[in-house]
Amino acid sequence: MTETAAKYAKYVEAFPRFDLVHALGKAGRERPICLYVKESGTVIGEAFLVSVANDEVVLEYVFLGSRIRSGPGVARLKTVVAANGVDKGRRYFLCPLCMKRVGTLVFVRSWACRTCHCLVHRVQLVGAHVAGWEEMDELRARIARGRPLGMWQKTYARKRARDQRRLAELRKICGRIRKFGSDEHRYRITPVWRAIDEIEELAHPYYVIAEGKIVRRQDQL
């Protein structure tokens, strides 16, 4: 899919997303950084929290792709706590446009929920069988990579068995004839979360990593 064709994609997976649960998952220890990666493996942007208050977070971001580009940006995003059966402190975004409670915001020209951006999920356009074949590709690749460095053997064995069960289920569902999505629906951006100690340098021109923290570049002068 060309970048020009991707410009008209109307599904969530073609745009950067920011999940508040992942972002706050390591609160108190480190702020994870979300990288946005195209299918080619090229990183086209990043986003990270620089401030977390009781009712809002401050998000810094930059996108450098040819399809979706934004200079260094900052967004002050309202949040609200709503307990559920698992997490009594579960925090959600309040969409800047509709003010509805959502867990994830999508960046098109600004941050908002997928409903305000009029986006559907990609599987609704390509169909379950195409999505199933793509999931099988991902499962096979993960199984082939073997045990990740640092993962316990017991944990790896459990996850590998789970992937193999899912792969067997998909083979039955999808059959033997491979199905592909159209060129119009092949473009995808994947959010990849990384800890601060896994990042050597930020793409954002105003921030650097120093002593395990994200700090403004001017503070290093």
Side-chain angles (χ1 to χ4, degrees), residues 129-144:
H129 277 210
V130 170
W133 275 100
E134 291 173 347
E135 185 179 351
M136 282 195 284
D137 291 342
E138 294 169 3
L139 289 169
R140 290 189 181 106
R142 188 158 64 218
I143 291 171

mmCIF file of all heavy atoms in Angstrom, residues 129-144:
data_model
loop_
_atom_site.group_PDB
_atom_site.id
_atom_site.type_symbol
_atom_site.label_atom_id
_atom_site.label_comp_id
_atom_site.label_asym_id
_atom_site.label_seq_id
_atom_site.Cartn_x
_atom_site.Cartn_y
_atom_site.Cartn_z
ATOM 1 N N HIS A 129 -11.619 -13.871 8.140
ATOM 2 C CA HIS A 129 -10.670 -14.841 7.591
ATOM 3 C C HIS A 129 -9.321 -14.192 7.269
ATOM 4 O O HIS A 129 -8.267 -14.788 7.516
ATOM 5 C CB HIS A 129 -11.263 -15.512 6.348
ATOM 6 C CG HIS A 129 -12.177 -16.645 6.684
ATOM 7 N ND1 HIS A 129 -12.351 -17.734 5.865
ATOM 8 C CD2 HIS A 129 -12.949 -16.876 7.770
ATOM 9 C CE1 HIS A 129 -13.200 -18.583 6.424
ATOM 10 N NE2 HIS A 129 -13.582 -18.068 7.579
ATOM 11 N N VAL A 130 -9.351 -12.993 6.704
ATOM 12 C CA VAL A 130 -8.094 -12.281 6.440
ATOM 13 C C VAL A 130 -7.381 -11.997 7.755
ATOM 14 O O VAL A 130 -6.171 -12.224 7.881
ATOM 15 C CB VAL A 130 -8.367 -10.968 5.680
ATOM 16 C CG1 VAL A 130 -7.091 -10.119 5.626
ATOM 17 C CG2 VAL A 130 -8.860 -11.254 4.273
ATOM 18 N N ALA A 131 -8.120 -11.518 8.740
ATOM 19 C CA ALA A 131 -7.527 -11.237 10.048
ATOM 20 C C ALA A 131 -6.977 -12.512 10.678
ATOM 21 O O ALA A 131 -5.930 -12.505 11.332
ATOM 22 C CB ALA A 131 -8.558 -10.596 10.969
ATOM 23 N N GLY A 132 -7.682 -13.635 10.476
ATOM 24 C CA GLY A 132 -7.217 -14.911 11.013
ATOM 25 C C GLY A 132 -5.900 -15.352 10.407
ATOM 26 O O GLY A 132 -5.003 -15.825 11.107
ATOM 27 N N TRP A 133 -5.757 -15.208 9.080
ATOM 28 C CA TRP A 133 -4.500 -15.567 8.423
ATOM 29 C C TRP A 133 -3.358 -14.668 8.888
ATOM 30 O O TRP A 133 -2.228 -15.123 9.088
ATOM 31 C CB TRP A 133 -4.658 -15.479 6.905
ATOM 32 C CG TRP A 133 -5.230 -16.722 6.302
ATOM 33 C CD1 TRP A 133 -6.525 -16.939 5.915
ATOM 34 C CD2 TRP A 133 -4.531 -17.946 6.046
ATOM 35 N NE1 TRP A 133 -6.677 -18.209 5.432
ATOM 36 C CE2 TRP A 133 -5.468 -18.857 5.487
ATOM 37 C CE3 TRP A 133 -3.225 -18.363 6.221
ATOM 38 C CZ2 TRP A 133 -5.128 -20.148 5.116
ATOM 39 C CZ3 TRP A 133 -2.875 -19.655 5.849
ATOM 40 C CH2 TRP A 133 -3.817 -20.525 5.302
ATOM 41 N N GLU A 134 -3.638 -13.410 9.083
ATOM 42 C CA GLU A 134 -2.604 -12.494 9.571
ATOM 43 C C GLU A 134 -2.196 -12.848 11.001
ATOM 44 O O GLU A 134 -1.012 -12.771 11.349
ATOM 45 C CB GLU A 134 -3.120 -11.059 9.496
ATOM 46 C CG GLU A 134 -3.281 -10.565 8.069
ATOM 47 C CD GLU A 134 -3.934 -9.211 7.965
ATOM 48 O OE1 GLU A 134 -4.498 -8.738 8.983
ATOM 49 O OE2 GLU A 134 -3.888 -8.598 6.882
ATOM 50 N N GLU A 135 -3.164 -13.239 11.818
ATOM 51 C CA GLU A 135 -2.830 -13.666 13.175
ATOM 52 C C GLU A 135 -1.982 -14.930 13.153
ATOM 53 O O GLU A 135 -1.044 -15.082 13.953
ATOM 54 C CB GLU A 135 -4.102 -13.892 13.995
ATOM 55 C CG GLU A 135 -3.820 -14.214 15.456
ATOM 56 C CD GLU A 135 -5.070 -14.418 16.281
ATOM 57 O OE1 GLU A 135 -6.180 -14.157 15.776
ATOM 58 O OE2 GLU A 135 -4.938 -14.875 17.440
ATOM 59 N N MET A 136 -2.275 -15.848 12.223
ATOM 60 C CA MET A 136 -1.460 -17.059 12.109
ATOM 61 C C MET A 136 -0.022 -16.719 11.740
ATOM 62 O O MET A 136 0.925 -17.322 12.257
ATOM 63 C CB MET A 136 -2.068 -18.024 11.078
ATOM 64 C CG MET A 136 -3.258 -18.807 11.607
ATOM 65 S SD MET A 136 -3.691 -20.239 10.573
ATOM 66 C CE MET A 136 -4.488 -19.417 9.204
ATOM 67 N N ASP A 137 0.160 -15.756 10.846
ATOM 68 C CA ASP A 137 1.518 -15.312 10.494
ATOM 69 C C ASP A 137 2.261 -14.810 11.722
ATOM 70 O O ASP A 137 3.444 -15.132 11.931
ATOM 71 C CB ASP A 137 1.448 -14.193 9.447
ATOM 72 C CG ASP A 137 0.966 -14.680 8.085
ATOM 73 O OD1 ASP A 137 1.018 -15.906 7.850
ATOM 74 O OD2 ASP A 137 0.534 -13.838 7.279
ATOM 75 N N GLU A 138 1.589 -14.013 12.540
ATOM 76 C CA GLU A 138 2.207 -13.462 13.737
ATOM 77 C C GLU A 138 2.545 -14.552 14.750
ATOM 78 O O GLU A 138 3.616 -14.535 15.370
ATOM 79 C CB GLU A 138 1.279 -12.425 14.369
ATOM 80 C CG GLU A 138 1.080 -11.183 13.505
ATOM 81 C CD GLU A 138 -0.036 -10.290 14.003
ATOM 82 O OE1 GLU A 138 -0.626 -10.625 15.063
ATOM 83 O OE2 GLU A 138 -0.327 -9.267 13.357
ATOM 84 N N LEU A 139 1.646 -15.519 14.913
ATOM 85 C CA LEU A 139 1.884 -16.615 15.848
ATOM 86 C C LEU A 139 3.061 -17.473 15.406
ATOM 87 O O LEU A 139 3.928 -17.834 16.209
ATOM 88 C CB LEU A 139 0.629 -17.479 15.984
ATOM 89 C CG LEU A 139 -0.545 -16.852 16.741
ATOM 90 C CD1 LEU A 139 -1.794 -17.695 16.566
ATOM 91 C CD2 LEU A 139 -0.221 -16.695 18.216
ATOM 92 N N ARG A 140 3.119 -17.796 14.110
ATOM 93 C CA ARG A 140 4.224 -18.614 13.598
ATOM 94 C C ARG A 140 5.563 -17.890 13.787
ATOM 95 O O ARG A 140 6.566 -18.509 14.137
ATOM 96 C CB ARG A 140 4.002 -18.939 12.126
ATOM 97 C CG ARG A 140 2.845 -19.913 11.867
ATOM 98 C CD ARG A 140 2.830 -20.358 10.421
ATOM 99 N NE ARG A 140 1.731 -21.255 10.133
ATOM 100 C CZ ARG A 140 0.635 -20.914 9.453
ATOM 101 N NH1 ARG A 140 0.516 -19.669 8.993
ATOM 102 N NH2 ARG A 140 -0.329 -21.782 9.237
ATOM 103 N N ALA A 141 5.555 -16.578 13.520
ATOM 104 C CA ALA A 141 6.793 -15.805 13.677
ATOM 105 C C ALA A 141 7.233 -15.777 15.139
ATOM 106 O O ALA A 141 8.424 -15.920 15.441
ATOM 107 C CB ALA A 141 6.580 -14.384 13.155
ATOM 108 N N ARG A 142 6.288 -15.627 16.043
ATOM 109 C CA ARG A 142 6.634 -15.590 17.467
ATOM 110 C C ARG A 142 7.146 -16.933 17.954
ATOM 111 O O ARG A 142 8.115 -16.997 18.722
ATOM 112 C CB ARG A 142 5.410 -15.164 18.288
ATOM 113 C CG ARG A 142 5.737 -14.908 19.760
ATOM 114 C CD ARG A 142 4.709 -14.018 20.389
ATOM 115 N NE ARG A 142 3.398 -14.632 20.421
ATOM 116 C CZ ARG A 142 2.262 -13.982 20.221
ATOM 117 N NH1 ARG A 142 2.281 -12.695 19.921
ATOM 118 N NH2 ARG A 142 1.095 -14.596 20.310
ATOM 119 N N ILE A 143 6.537 -18.005 17.507
ATOM 120 C CA ILE A 143 6.993 -19.348 17.883
ATOM 121 C C ILE A 143 8.397 -19.598 17.330
ATOM 122 O O ILE A 143 9.258 -20.162 18.007
ATOM 123 C CB ILE A 143 6.000 -20.409 17.381
ATOM 124 C CG1 ILE A 143 4.683 -20.308 18.165
ATOM 125 C CG2 ILE A 143 6.583 -21.815 17.520
ATOM 126 C CD1 ILE A 143 3.561 -21.168 17.607
ATOM 127 N N ALA A 144 8.629 -19.147 16.083
ATOM 128 C CA ALA A 144 9.931 -19.376 15.450
ATOM 129 C C ALA A 144 11.051 -18.602 16.139
ATOM 130 O O ALA A 144 12.206 -19.055 16.146
ATOM 131 C CB ALA A 144 9.863 -18.994 13.971
#
